[in-house]
């Protein structure tokens, strides 16, 4: 509602100023302002220019300031940054919240309290929306930061060699530039909720010290603007019913790709195309039973599974609570200390890093138990060093506008043989083999602001998604069909065989016929003597693709990060060099600018 003289107590000049200011405020700024005005009223009213107060003026509440920068690939850091922002705003802290890609580096010197929330992507690399800021801060142009206080929350995965490396980079560099830590850096594994909550509480406590007046004056400032939020979340998943579970591959395919339709009715959960569905899976029952037998445990023995003291029967805990399929370097070290096993102790000694790295690849806890004869360790001691079974994230392949109260996902079952045993993807195999319509799954929505359709429905869109990487593009096109978006669209899709592995073939053909999908190029790598992939089709159409880029097209890539996404990136650069006459450096800069402008977005894993 726009303020007017007739519907407010303000004069014409005041309403004009307020109407200019209010639409520009962020949620955090509006919340802070609401609390600030409430505090002034509680102190005896707001002093108006025409009505000067008598006596000593009420002292202004000192407003602490904090800037929160997040770098996030899947949305976890974005969500944590928002939680931190809300808590600080409730304590009267004036918060600026920004993605690293949106932050102007020139403003770094003006910051008093800098809070970094960042994940590590791939092999120790910053996420896409943190690349620019990471390069700036670690480069020669970074300013001295003697007056800056900072703290870093780092997210990572201990199964990767460079655990939380991006967060460590930021933390070390900020110290080198003269910054002072507010609280020490916290490194979080995939089960980050408890550690992250502790860091947030410590930061809020530190920044609230000495500003008790502001805290007391505006205890509910963060609630001035409310959003409709579901009670279900990552820490409180919704048990959703499976409506459909269909194998998309044809007879004779050596692949099994499941299309699941899941009901969200009654959950209040909301999502947009580009978001992911988080699923808390169960371990394979056969692996659990084999592990219990190898260790000589009683499956009904009760064990404590968390700091709150909750008890579960051992078999149920191994099925639902603990990760048992992944070995990590920290875990091996913990078992070496727990057991005093000479072989394990030698494996983790300095100089054996390569041997350790090779051992943990494609092995699990059952391998460890059998290879190093760990039978006899009490179940409670053994499970005390295990990490919690993490949720699996799957790109959503539906639009809520097209299928209200439902969410669809596209999942390829992972099964292979390694080290003499069959191996199973924890969640994908559960979905493929052990869940039927009518069963339920614990789920939540993982919002991903870094993978979204352009705000302009007329902008051209290029989508590159082989295999199950095509999932979010089914959501994109469903959404565009419902909204009537008129911008042209181009999909590059690939898999092994046209006859058996063409996922959602009928839907793509219908969208092509109806004009929702302007053009589509496919690559089926096993149907020709030479393997042909999506990047080869891109090169074949390099001239047209370059013209789309020049017209302002948005490029989206989804799928395997290590091979496919790397090859696609290199192909885009090669097309810019060939068709645009750019040097390697100029092509790299072109793609870098596209990322900064959010015209080049990736959902890779």
């Amino acid at each position: 509602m726009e303020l007017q003289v007739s519907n407010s107590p303000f004069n014409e000049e005041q309403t004009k100023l307020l109407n200019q200011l209010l639409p520009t405020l962020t949620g955090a700024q509006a919340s802070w302002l609401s609390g600030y005005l409430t505090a002034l009223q509680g102190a005896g009213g707001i002093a108006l220019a025409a009505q000067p107060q008598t006596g000593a003026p009420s002292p202004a509440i000192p407003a602490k300031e904090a800037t929160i920068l997040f770098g996030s690939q899947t949305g976890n850091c974005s969500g944590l940054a928002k939680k931190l922002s809300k808590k600080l705003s409730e304590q009267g802290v004036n918060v600026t919240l920004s993605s690293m890609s949106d932050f102007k580096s020139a403003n770094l010197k003006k910051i008093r309290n800098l809070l970094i929330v960042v994940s590590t992507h791939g092999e120790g690399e910053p996420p896409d929306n943190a690349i620019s800021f990471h390069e700036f801060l670690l480069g020669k142009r970074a300013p001295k930061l003697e007056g800056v206080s900072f703290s870093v929350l780092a997210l990572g995965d201990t199964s990767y060699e460079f655990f939380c490396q991006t967060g460590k980079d930021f933390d070390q560099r900020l110290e080198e530039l003269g910054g002072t830590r507010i609280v020490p850096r916290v490194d979080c594994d995939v089960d980050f909720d408890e550690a992250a909550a502790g860091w947030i509480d410590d930061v809020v406590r530190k920044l609230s010290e000495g500003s008790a007046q502001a805290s007391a004056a505006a205890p509910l400032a963060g609630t001035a603007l409310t959003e409709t939020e579901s009670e279900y979340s990552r820490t409180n998943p919704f048990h959703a019913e499976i409506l459909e579970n269909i194998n998309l591959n044809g007879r004779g395919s050596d692949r099994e790709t499941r299309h699941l339709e899941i009901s969200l009715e009654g959950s209040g959960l909301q999502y947009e195309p580009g978001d992911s569905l988080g699923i808390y899976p169960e371990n394979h029952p056969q692996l659990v039973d084999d592990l219990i037998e190898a260790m000589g445990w009683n499956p009904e023995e009760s064990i404590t599974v968390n700091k709150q003291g909750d008890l579960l029967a051992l078999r149920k805990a191994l099925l639902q609570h603990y990760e048992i399929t992944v070995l990590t370097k920290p875990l091996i070290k913990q078992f070496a200390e727990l057991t005093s096993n000479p072989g394990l102790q030698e494996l983790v000694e300095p100089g054996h890093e390569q041997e350790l790295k090779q051992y943990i690849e494609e092995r699990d806890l059952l391998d460890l138990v059998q290879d190093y004869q760990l039978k006899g360790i009490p179940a409670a001691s053994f499970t005390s060093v295990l990490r919690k079974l993490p949720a699996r994230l799957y790109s959503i392949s539906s639009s809520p506008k097209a299928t209200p109260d439902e969410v669809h996902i596209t999942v390829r079952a992972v099964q292979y043989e390694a080290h003499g045993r069959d191996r199973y993807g924890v969640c994908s195999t559960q979905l493929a083999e052990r869940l039927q319509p009518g069963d339920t799954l614990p789920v939540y929505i993982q919002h991903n602001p870094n993978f979204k359709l352009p705000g302009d429905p007329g902008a051209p869109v290029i989508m590159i998604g082989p295999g199950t990487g095509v999932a979010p593009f089914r959501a994109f096109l469903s959404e565009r069909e419902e909204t009537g978006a008129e911008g042209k669209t181009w999909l590059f899709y690939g898999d092994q065989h046209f006859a058996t592995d063409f996922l959602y073939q009928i839907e793509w053909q219908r969208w092509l016929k109806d004009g929702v999908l302007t053009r589509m190029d496919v690559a089926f790598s096993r149907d020709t003597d030479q393997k042909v992939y999506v990047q080869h089709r891109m090169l074949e159409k390099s001239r047209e693709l370059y013209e789309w880029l020049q017209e302002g097209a948005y490029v989206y890539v989804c799928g395997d990060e290590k091979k496919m996404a790397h090859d696609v990136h290199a192909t885009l650069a090669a097309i810019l060099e060939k068709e645009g006459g750019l040097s390697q450096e100029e092509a790299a800069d072109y793609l870098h600018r596209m990322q900064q402008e959010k015209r080049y977005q990736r959902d890779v894993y």
Side-chain angles (χ1 to χ4, degrees), residues 242-268:
I242 297 173
L243 302 174
E244 294 284 355
N245 188 347
I246 303 167
N247 183 9
L248 295 176
N249 294 98
R251 184 176 299 174
S253 174
D254 60 359
R255 297 186 164 192
E256 183 176 0
T257 309
R258 288 282 165 173
H259 169 81
L260 281 92
E261 299 180 2
I262 300 168
S263 174
L264 296 180
E265 187 174 0
S267 68

Side-chain angles (χ1 to χ4, degrees), residues 451 461-473 476 489-494 517 519 521 523 533-539 545 549 554-560 564-572 575 591 594 599-605:
F451 202 75
V461 172
I462 299 170
M463 301 164 286
I464 305 161
T468 56
V470 83
F473 305 135
F476 279 15
T489 56
W490 190 352
L491 174 63
F492 288 90
Y493 170 75
L517 181 58
R519 61 185 299 174
D521 282 276
Y533 299 110
V534 288
Q535 61 268 25
H536 298 126
R537 296 296 185 227
M538 292 168 63
L539 283 172
L545 202 151
L549 293 180
Y554 285 65
V555 177
Y556 298 89
V557 181
C558 182
D560 169 60
M564 184 278 298
H566 179 270
D567 290 343
V568 165
H569 185 88
T571 300
L572 286 170
I575 289 171
L591 292 175
M594 284 185 64
R599 285 182 49 220
Y600 179 23
Q601 301 180 32
R602 307 192 309 164
D603 179 12
V604 294
Y605 38 85

Side-chain angles (χ1 to χ4, degrees), residues 491-561:
L491 174 63
F492 288 90
Y493 170 75
D495 215 311
Q496 289 193 351
H497 299 285
F498 172 85
T500 59
D501 305 321
F502 198 165
L503 307 183
Y504 302 116
Q505 178 184 359
I506 295 175
E507 294 186 36
W508 309 128
Q509 290 174 333
R510 179 177 65 81
W511 278 324
L512 281 167
K513 179 181 177 181
D514 294 344
V516 178
L517 181 58
T518 309
R519 61 185 299 174
M520 182 176 187
D521 282 276
V522 297
F524 293 98
S525 59
R526 303 301 192 273
D527 284 347
T528 54
D529 292 335
Q530 281 191 320
K531 291 182 180 179
V532 178
Y533 299 110
V534 288
Q535 61 268 25
H536 298 126
R537 296 296 185 227
M538 292 168 63
L539 283 172
E540 289 173 2
K541 302 296 192 306
S542 64
R543 187 63 204 172
E544 298 97 318
L545 202 151
Y546 176 74
E547 289 172 355
W548 280 49
L549 293 180
Q550 291 298 95
E551 292 170 15
Y554 285 65
V555 177
Y556 298 89
V557 181
C558 182
D560 169 60
E561 191 271 338

Side-chain angles (χ1 to χ4, degrees), residues 40-55:
L40 287 181
Q41 285 180 317
I46 301 175
L48 302 178
Q51 297 175 333
Q53 289 183 322
T54 58

